[in-house]
Amino acid sequence: MQTANRRARLARWCVQRAWSPVRWQRLALVSVLLVLTLVLAAIGTAERHRQANLPMTWPQLLDHVYALYIYLVPQNSLQFAKDLHWSETVGRIIGPLVPVAGIVWLVRRRALGELAELLIRYGASGHGVILGKDGSADALALASAEAGEVVVLVDPSVVDEKDRLVRLGCAGVICRAQPPASLERAGTLALWRPLDAENIAKAIELREAGTTGTREIHLSVQSADLQRALLKVPALMEQGGARLRPHSLAGMSVRASLAGPQLAELALRRGSRQVTICLWGDSPALVWAAELALRQFWSIRLGPPRVIWADRPAHLPLPEALAKLADFATAVFSPDERPTFQRMSRDDAVHDATVTCHLVDAGHADATVAASFALAARLRQAFADPPPVQAVLANTITDAAAPLFVTNDLCFRPPILPGEGLTLQALVDRAQDEEAARIQIAYNARYGRDGAAPASGPWQDLAETFVAANRAAADHRAIKLWDARTSGLSDAELIEGLAVMEHNRWCAERLLSGWAPSGDGPRDDVRWLHPDLKPWDGLSEEARQKDRDAVSDLLKAQRSPAARLP
């Protein structure tokens, strides 16, 4: 990510100063000026009365009240300045400062805002630009600005909502109703509107217009099916001067929450032989959770993962990826290594003792909180040691609702908060992809044939479908190392067991990503057909060795002095 230049940082400072609330120092200054003016007015008036030998009567007493206004707007001509008492001289200076300070504070917001607009328009570079709509990008803009980034938020609705302007402005977000004529000097560009199709269309429009200076255009695509469809058209994603990078807040947050061996350990503690996730509701986040569970929770010590969708009507079709996995499961997995997906009634789902964790997303935060507590209460009644409930909550209520789930009376996991703390810098840095990039580098070195082999090549130029495959392999690293430490296997037996498990995990990931077995036919990267999508016993020795090499490299790296346990 480019670093914002001095003008961009100055624009951010101007916006923060313009929208910052009145501080006690300002109130104290005005109070001191007013008190000094009153005191000086009283002293000056008393001195004039003394010089005129006027007795103190009610009319003369009113002179003390009127004297204040003389100092606020002095009426005496400057030619009489030599005849003024010292209190009157000082009062003529201090008095006008009160209305002047008020005028300055009244116009400072507009003046500083206009200055920030000029700085962004002329000379600022390296800043981030987010295109949102109806508040869809507020959380991303706020988190980025609070992290010190220079952010321009383009949202037509923001200019009509004072509360939003104040909240965003205090954080330093530069708000505009319309995008600038050119985005060539922007360091980062993100399209964060509510509709996925609108983000894709706008990204393609900007890329074809050639008005962006960024190498990547980041866009929000919440639908798992739509993201998968985009992976199938790499020409659309990668053509032209800017590459499209789709992101899903729900997908990223679910990935971060469910990664690691914690649920596998919980399944073993509960006496289950597989990780079983039960889904309650119907949302993109739950689709992401189902896919991640089916590609993630493979272990030597456990059977294949299982997903239950509670109370999902039979007439509703399965999400595309889950349907494809179900269609090819028989051909790709051996009977005892086949992941399963099933619908179940509410009562059966509550009383299923094999469930490892319940995920709840009712679509609205309030409904999700209510459903989560009701489910946790039923589970507490049904089991002495109930499985935990984990809610998926909108980021807008993070601060209010997250503490509700810290209780000893019911069993909860920390809620999943889509978009919490997400910044433009995090989108660009892709810090979570460091391990995935190392996996790709190792693959290139062993099998790449200088970029001629399929799925090989530099990480930054890799097609998104292979980026996704490496991410899934990186996410599973912690479970492999957990298996290596706790399975009781060693040497060749451990390598073989991990290799079989890795092949099954890879098959599930490829099927969920849209690939299909080619049978006895060759690999076809255009039609997304792969000959290795078959049970372990049906693989060639060369294909098996790839999995053995992958797990051997991981174990060797873990045993090295520089390695760190996850």
Side-chain angles (χ1 to χ4, degrees):
M1 182 175 178
Q2 297 182 26
T3 302
N5 67 359
R6 182 175 298 177
R7 292 190 182 184
R9 296 194 301 273
L10 179 58
R12 178 177 181 269
W13 180 88
C14 289
V15 170
Q16 281 185 308
R17 298 285 78 76
W19 290 101
S20 60
V22 177
R23 299 178 180 176
W24 69 267
Q25 294 93 335
R26 297 177 185 175
L27 295 176
L29 176 60
V30 173
S31 300
V32 169
L33 290 175
L34 281 173
V35 170
L36 284 176
T37 303
L38 287 170
V39 172
L40 293 170
I43 294 174
T45 302
E47 179 63 22
R48 288 292 181 180
H49 287 173
R50 187 188 65 78
Q51 294 175 359
N53 293 320
L54 294 175
M56 184 60 66
T57 61
W58 282 108
Q60 278 70 42
L61 188 60
L62 292 175
D63 287 346
H64 288 271
V65 178
Y66 180 69
L68 174 64
Y69 297 98
I70 293 179
Y71 292 135
L72 292 179
V73 185
Q75 302 295 316
N76 290 333
S77 174
L78 291 177
Q79 62 180 321
F80 301 116
K82 60 185 175 62
D83 298 325
L84 297 177
H85 187 258
W86 68 266
S87 61
E88 295 173 316
T89 302
V90 177
R92 286 161 62 95
I93 299 172
I94 295 178
L97 292 179
V98 176
V100 168
I103 294 173
V104 169
W105 289 338
L106 284 174
V107 302
R108 71 184 176 90
R109 179 167 296 173
R110 179 176 292 275
L112 289 172
E114 292 294 336
L115 177 58
E117 181 70 23
L118 289 173
L119 289 169
I120 290 295
R121 188 180 302 174
Y122 304 108
S125 63
H127 53 283
V129 177
I130 307 174
L131 275 62
K133 187 176 181 181
D134 299 330
S136 61
D138 286 8
L140 176 61
L142 276 172
S144 301
E146 289 170 354
E149 302 173 32
V150 181
V151 180
V152 177
L153 173 62
V154 180
D155 188 335
S157 67
V158 73
V159 296
D160 299 325
E161 300 182 29
K162 181 69 175 292
D163 291 342
R164 284 177 61 199
L165 276 175
V166 172
R167 187 172 69 255
L168 292 165
C170 288
V173 178
I174 304 163
C175 299
R176 298 184 53 147
Q178 299 296 328
S182 175
L183 298 169
E184 292 182 355
R185 293 193 303 272
T188 310
L189 177 60
L191 302 180
W192 228 252
R193 296 175 175 176
L195 299 179
D196 294 347
E198 187 177 2
N199 288 326
I200 298 170
K202 186 63 177 179
I204 295 173
E205 176 189 335
L206 291 173
R207 184 173 64 183
E208 292 180 350
T211 57
T212 65
T214 59
R215 294 183 57 188
E216 298 180 336
I217 299 177
H218 302 270
L219 58 153
S220 170
V221 180
Q222 298 303 321
S223 168
D225 287 342
L226 187 52
Q227 279 219 20
R228 194 175 304 102
L230 291 175
L231 298 184
K232 294 183 179 180
V233 282
L236 176 66
M237 303 291 289
E238 301 160 19
Q239 70 182 7
R243 180 169 180 166
L244 306 188
R245 293 285 189 189
H247 303 274
S248 167
L249 295 180
M252 289 187 289
S253 58
V254 167
R255 177 188 175 198
S257 177
L258 300 186
Q262 289 81 9
L263 288 181
E265 293 173 340
L266 179 60
L268 285 176
R269 182 176 66 80
R270 293 181 55 80
S272 178
R273 293 300 302 164
Q274 60 186 165
V275 174
T276 300
I277 302 295
C278 184
L279 310 177
W280 297 79
D282 187 11
S283 70
L286 295 184
V287 176
W288 285 107
E291 293 187 19
L292 188 138
L294 292 170
R295 66 163 57 99
Q296 172 81 4
F297 296 118
W298 294 85
S299 166
I300 296 176
R301 302 183 64 187
L302 295 168
R306 172 174 169 244
V307 173
I308 298 170
W309 210 312
D311 203 33
R312 185 177 179 86
H315 67 273
L316 287 181
L318 292 178
E320 179 186 353
L322 301 181
K324 193 159 192 174
L325 179 65
D327 290 342
F328 291 111
T330 303
V332 173
F333 301 96
S334 60
D336 57 341
E337 296 173 340
R338 193 172 298 157
T340 55
F341 175 89
Q342 64 185 111
R343 307 171 197 256
M344 192 174 286
S345 69
R346 284 177 174 268
D347 287 341
D348 289 344
V350 167
H351 292 91
D352 191 324
T354 64
V355 172
T356 309
C357 180
H358 293 267
L359 289 182
V360 182
D361 187 355
H364 187 275
D366 290 341
T368 299
V369 171
S372 299
F373 273 81
L375 176 60
R378 291 193 65 186
L379 292 170
R380 169 62 71 187
Q381 190 175 42
F383 300 100
D385 181 19
V389 175
Q390 188 167 26
V392 182
L393 299 176
N395 189 54
T396 52
I397 67 159
T398 296
D399 296 335
L404 295 175
F405 296 92
V406 182
T407 174
N408 294 325
D409 297 328
L410 300 174
C411 190
F412 290 110
R413 294 191 82 211
I416 297 174
L417 307 170
E420 182 190 24
L422 180 66
T423 66
L424 289 175
Q425 184 72 46
L427 291 180
V428 175
D429 285 352
R430 301 164 73 187
Q432 287 184 311
D433 288 345
E434 292 180 2
E435 181 62 29
R438 283 194 285 268
I439 293 174
Q440 179 63 29
I441 291 171
Y443 180 88
N444 289 338
R446 195 183 294 268
Y447 306 108
R449 301 199 303 271
D450 296 326
S456 63
W459 174 253
Q460 64 272 18
D461 298 328
L462 202 63
E464 286 293 324
T465 181
F466 303 126
V467 170
N470 285 307
R471 284 175 182 157
D475 289 344
H476 197 257
R477 173 180 179 271
I479 291 182
K480 289 188 181 74
L481 295 175
W482 173 73
D483 267 338
R485 293 193 303 267
T486 62
S487 65
L489 303 178
S490 60
D491 302 329
E493 188 180 12
L494 175 62
I495 296 296
E496 191 70 9
L498 289 174
V500 174
M501 180 262 294
E502 168 61 14
H503 173 69
N504 288 328
R505 183 210 62 80
W506 174 84
C507 286
E509 189 279 326
R510 290 289 79 187
L511 290 175
L512 289 167
S513 294
W515 288 73
S518 64
D520 295 329
R523 172 174 177 155
D524 189 332
D525 284 2
V526 176
R527 299 171 60 196
W528 282 29
L529 302 177
H530 204 295
D532 290 342
L533 286 171
K534 60 180 62 173
W536 176 262
D537 293 340
L539 287 178
S540 66
E541 188 59 27
E542 180 184 2
R544 293 183 187 181
Q545 192 59 40
K546 285 185 179 181
D547 291 316
R548 297 186 186 111
D549 291 340
V551 296
S552 295
D553 290 344
L554 172 62
L555 296 179
K556 288 177 183 177
Q558 186 61 25
R559 295 187 187 112
S560 68
R564 293 178 296 180
L565 289 175

Coordinates of all heavy atoms in Angstrom, one line a residue, residues 52 56 78 147 158 160 170 296 348 358 374 416 419 517:
A52 N -16.6 62.2 37.1 CA -17.7 63.1 36.9 C -18.4 63.5 38.2 O -19.4 64.2 38.2 CB -18.7 62.5 36.0
M56 N -23.9 57.2 43.0 CA -24.3 55.9 42.6 C -25.8 55.8 42.7 O -26.4 55.6 43.8 CB -23.7 54.8 43.4 CG -24.0 53.4 42.8 SD -23.5 53.1 41.1 CE -21.8 53.2 41.2
L78 N -10.9 56.5 18.0 CA -9.5 56.2 18.4 C -8.8 57.5 18.8 O -7.8 57.5 19.5 CB -8.7 55.6 17.2 CG -9.2 54.1 16.9 CD1 -8.4 53.6 15.7 CD2 -8.9 53.2 18.1
A147 N -6.9 3.8 12.4 CA -5.5 3.2 12.4 C -4.5 4.1 11.8 O -3.3 3.7 11.6 CB -5.6 1.9 11.5
V158 N -24.1 10.5 2.8 CA -23.4 10.9 4.0 C -23.7 12.4 4.3 O -23.7 12.9 5.4 CB -21.9 10.6 4.0 CG1 -21.2 11.5 3.0 CG2 -21.3 10.7 5.4
D160 N -26.2 14.2 4.0 CA -27.5 14.5 4.6 C -27.7 14.0 6.0 O -28.8 14.2 6.6 CB -28.6 13.8 3.7 CG -28.6 14.4 2.3 OD1 -28.3 15.6 2.1 OD2 -28.9 13.6 1.3
C170 N -14.7 13.2 13.0 CA -13.9 13.2 14.2 C -12.8 12.1 14.0 O -11.7 12.3 14.6 CB -14.7 12.9 15.4 SG -15.8 14.2 15.9
Q296 N -12.1 -27.8 6.2 CA -11.1 -27.5 7.3 C -10.9 -28.6 8.3 O -9.8 -29.0 8.7 CB -11.5 -26.2 8.0 CG -10.7 -25.9 9.2 CD -9.3 -25.2 8.9 OE1 -9.1 -24.9 7.7 NE2 -8.5 -25.0 9.9
D348 N -34.5 -32.3 16.7 CA -33.5 -33.3 16.5 C -32.1 -32.6 16.6 O -31.1 -33.2 17.1 CB -33.6 -33.9 15.1 CG -34.8 -34.9 15.1 OD1 -35.3 -35.3 16.2 OD2 -35.3 -35.3 14.0
H358 N -22.8 -24.9 17.7 CA -24.0 -24.4 17.0 C -23.7 -22.9 16.5 O -23.3 -22.1 17.3 CB -25.2 -24.4 17.9 CG -25.7 -25.7 18.3 ND1 -26.7 -26.4 17.5 CD2 -25.4 -26.5 19.3 CE1 -26.9 -27.5 18.1 NE2 -26.1 -27.7 19.2
A374 N -32.0 -18.2 23.3 CA -33.0 -19.3 23.4 C -32.4 -20.7 23.1 O -32.7 -21.6 23.8 CB -34.1 -19.0 22.4
I416 N -19.0 -14.1 16.3 CA -18.3 -13.8 15.0 C -18.7 -12.4 14.6 O -19.9 -12.1 14.5 CB -18.5 -14.8 14.0 CG1 -18.0 -16.2 14.4 CG2 -17.9 -14.4 12.6 CD1 -18.3 -17.3 13.4
G419 N -16.2 -8.0 9.7 CA -15.7 -6.6 9.5 C -15.1 -5.9 10.7 O -14.6 -4.8 10.5
P517 N -14.2 -34.0 -10.8 CA -13.3 -35.0 -11.3 C -13.4 -35.2 -12.8 O -14.4 -35.2 -13.4 CB -13.8 -36.3 -10.5 CG -15.2 -36.0 -10.1 CD -15.3 -34.5 -10.0

